[in-house]
Amino acid sequence: MRMKKRYAKRQFRIPGPVHVPIRVWKAATKAMKYPISHRSKEFKTLLFSVTDKLKKIAQTKNDLFIFNSAGTGGMQAALSNCFQPGEKVLFLSNGFFGERFVTIGGTQRVFLDHIEHQWAAPIDLDLVKKRVESQKDLRGVVMVLNETSVAMTNDVRGVAELLNDREDILFIVDANSGMGGIDCPVDNLGIDIVMFTSQKAFMCPPGAMILTASPKVWKKVGGNWNSREHYYSFKIARDLYDCGETFGTPVLPTFFALDEATDMILDEGLDNVFQRHASVAAEMRKSLSQFKLLAAKGYESNTVTAFQWPGDPDQLEEFLTDLDEEYNLKIARGQEKMRGKIFRIGHMGDITMRDVRDIANRVKKCFNALSSK
Ligand SMILES: Cc1ncc(COP(=O)(O)O)c(C=O)c1O
């Protein structure tokens, strides 16, 4: 039988979905208490307000659409809207989500060009440069900003610079676990499509997938719209946005939550938010320095940290269960190839230095208790 929990405060710290602050969940419940029609003036105001604030946080003037979807839907939407079967797209992967993008590329029947790195290896810019320069028929480059599975922030700027003068290539970035916590200035980087979700650094319940599309996207697909796409069609989304509506019924509680959460982020100030995430991440690494980091030096994520597990994999499962059931702390195991090898702590959104010290303290106590069993 499990012991009683030693800590009253729940620390829910997986790398998404994340802990939702009270202000945000109260806003979400408004949708149930005072329901509004999604084809109304009230919704139009809400949609425009949320969209404008999300654009500020993504630092873009591009079109921005909000779909009811998980993050994976955004990956599919980017590829299905932009490319015809057979068009060549270069995928850069160094973890679970980069590889998922390749799988989705396969279902979209694009011509897959893949620079597959080992998990947690930095993206090799020399290789990318050679590949981009030697292939005049390349139509897209796809990568992940913050590879959640290995807790690494990839060099999006480095890749962006290689694509500067390539009008013929669309640059697509999955910023799911980065946007809102890590500086990702979409227009400055020349990202044509970026996608992210409500349930990561935006501190909201799941449900909303957000995606931006640059004028270059419209130029490429304008006269040759991919008729295979319907639910995620950017064209339908844009036509309806102009009328203040979404295509399907919008996930209203998450819209209200996003309205509040984006206020919180903008009130704190974007630079302050990014700096807080950087400080919190540094403190997490320092406080748990007895464990080896997985991320390569210089690529450590500010929203999630992965530590290498020093014992055997079964013991790691016991550790995670004890943390959850006795220490009231929920963190994540490694995915797929990293299962049994690492544990990951999310620190995005609503998190302070005090939380980090508390989390690190619980991790150390639990580890020591397990080691002395
Ligand atoms: C970087 C990244 N991309 C994509 C996804 C997939 O998102 P979802 O699980 O919402 O489909 C995740 C989920 O954690 C992620 O971290």
Side-chain angles (χ1 to χ4, degrees):
M1 215 182 73
R2 293 268 157 207
M3 280 168 61
K4 213 165 143 273
K5 286 191 174 40
R6 298 158 198 255
Y7 295 83
K9 180 176 173 176
R10 177 75 168 154
Q11 289 280 11
F12 185 73
R13 300 296 176 185
I14 63 173
V18 302
H19 154 76
V20 176
I22 290 178
R23 254 180 82 174
V24 175
W25 64 254
K26 278 198 171 154
T29 60
K30 261 197 250 162
M32 278 82 86
K33 214 165 163 189
Y34 308 107
I36 61 168
S37 159
H38 58 293
R39 312 276 176 221
S40 65
K41 267 204 289 206
E42 292 99 318
F43 181 71
K44 185 175 181 169
T45 306
L46 179 65
L47 176 65
F48 288 175
S49 157
V50 172
T51 303
D52 284 349
K53 289 183 288 178
L54 287 169
K55 282 189 186 184
K56 284 192 183 132
I57 295 167
Q59 301 167 71
T60 185
K61 294 197 163 46
N62 290 342
D63 287 314
L64 185 147
F65 305 120
I66 306 172
F67 295 92
N68 296 358
S69 171
T72 306
M75 301 160 92
Q76 182 177 311
L79 299 179
S80 63
N81 275 275
C82 290
F83 305 110
Q84 297 294 334
E87 284 192 306
K88 192 184 275 184
V89 180
L90 174 62
F91 294 82
L92 313 175
S93 74
N94 60 348
F96 183 78
F97 292 106
E99 289 183 5
R100 178 178 287 184
F101 235 142
V102 181
T103 307
I104 298 170
T107 68
Q108 295 302 312
R109 292 183 286 124
V110 299
F111 185 99
L112 298 174
D113 190 9
H114 183 193
I115 303 185
E116 182 178 2
H117 301 73
Q118 282 200 341
W119 284 32
I123 301 293
D124 183 337
L125 290 184
D126 288 337
L127 255 181
V128 179
K129 184 168 190 287
K130 278 191 202 125
R131 202 68 75 91
V132 169
E133 281 175 358
S134 64
Q135 307 204 73
K136 297 298 169 215
D137 55 345
L138 202 56
R139 293 294 165 261
V141 172
V142 174
M143 70 182 293
V144 178
L145 167 70
N146 191 68
E147 183 44 88
T148 324
S149 61
V150 293
M152 269 173 65
T153 301
N154 288 323
D155 189 359
V156 169
R157 186 171 291 280
V159 175
E161 281 165 5
L162 301 177
L163 302 176
N164 263 346
D165 55 351
R166 289 292 296 266
E167 267 305 302
D168 51 340
I169 294 179
L170 294 179
F171 186 30
I172 296 177
V173 176
D174 170 2
N176 199 351
S177 60
M179 188 65 83
I182 295 170
D183 191 17
C184 181
V186 169
D187 290 356
N188 177 279
L189 291 167
I191 300 173
D192 294 301
I193 295 194
V194 77
M195 76 289 290
F196 49 98
T197 55
S198 51
Q199 69 266 22
K200 305 274 188 191
F202 287 87
M203 312 173 273
C204 289
M209 180 275 285
I210 298 123
L211 184 150
T212 72
S214 74
K216 219 163 118 183
V217 171
W218 296 113
K219 202 167 142 205
K220 177 173 187 302
V221 297
N224 191 17
W225 202 262
N226 185 349
S227 56
R228 287 171 305 134
E229 188 51 85
H230 192 66
Y231 178 69
Y232 290 121
S233 162
F234 298 172
K235 189 170 175 344
I236 295 176
R238 185 169 69 174
D239 290 350
L240 282 165
Y241 178 82
D242 290 341
C243 312
E245 293 184 17
T246 56
F247 180 32
T249 310
V251 59
L252 286 162
T254 305
F255 266 83
F256 279 98
L258 274 171
D259 201 27
E260 190 71 22
T262 46
D263 276 343
M264 286 170 71
I265 292 172
L266 293 170
D267 288 349
E268 185 177 346
L270 269 191
D271 288 343
N272 296 332
V273 170
F274 300 145
Q275 187 48 54
R276 176 169 55 79
H277 279 80
S279 308
V280 151
E283 182 65 25
M284 186 65 83
R285 295 191 289 270
K286 190 171 131 221
S287 305
L288 290 174
S289 58
Q290 72 189 86
F291 300 102
K292 260 178 86 176
L293 283 177
L294 176 67
K297 187 122 194 74
Y299 297 88
E300 302 91 341
S301 165
N302 286 342
T303 55
V304 52
T305 298
F307 294 101
Q308 300 187 36
W309 178 247
D312 71 71
D314 290 343
Q315 220 189 9
L316 173 54
E317 284 301 312
E318 198 180 338
F319 173 64
L320 296 173
T321 307
D322 288 353
L323 273 178
D324 188 6
E325 296 183 357
E326 291 177 30
Y327 294 81
N328 220 358
L329 165 63
K330 183 74 179 167
I331 61 172
R333 60 170 65 82
Q335 291 160 288
E336 209 182 74
K337 286 179 196 165
M338 287 294 161
R339 202 177 171 126
K341 295 184 179 157
I342 59 169
F343 60 95
R344 296 175 300 147
I345 306 179
H347 35 80
M348 59 188 97
D350 186 31
I351 186 156
T352 62
M353 268 323 194
R354 209 171 145 167
D355 287 315
V356 173
R357 293 190 189 113
D358 176 39
I359 293 162
N361 189 32
R362 296 188 202 192
V363 168
K364 282 193 266 195
K365 281 199 170 145
C366 181
F367 182 74
N368 291 341
L370 192 68
S371 304
S372 60
K373 258 188 196 170

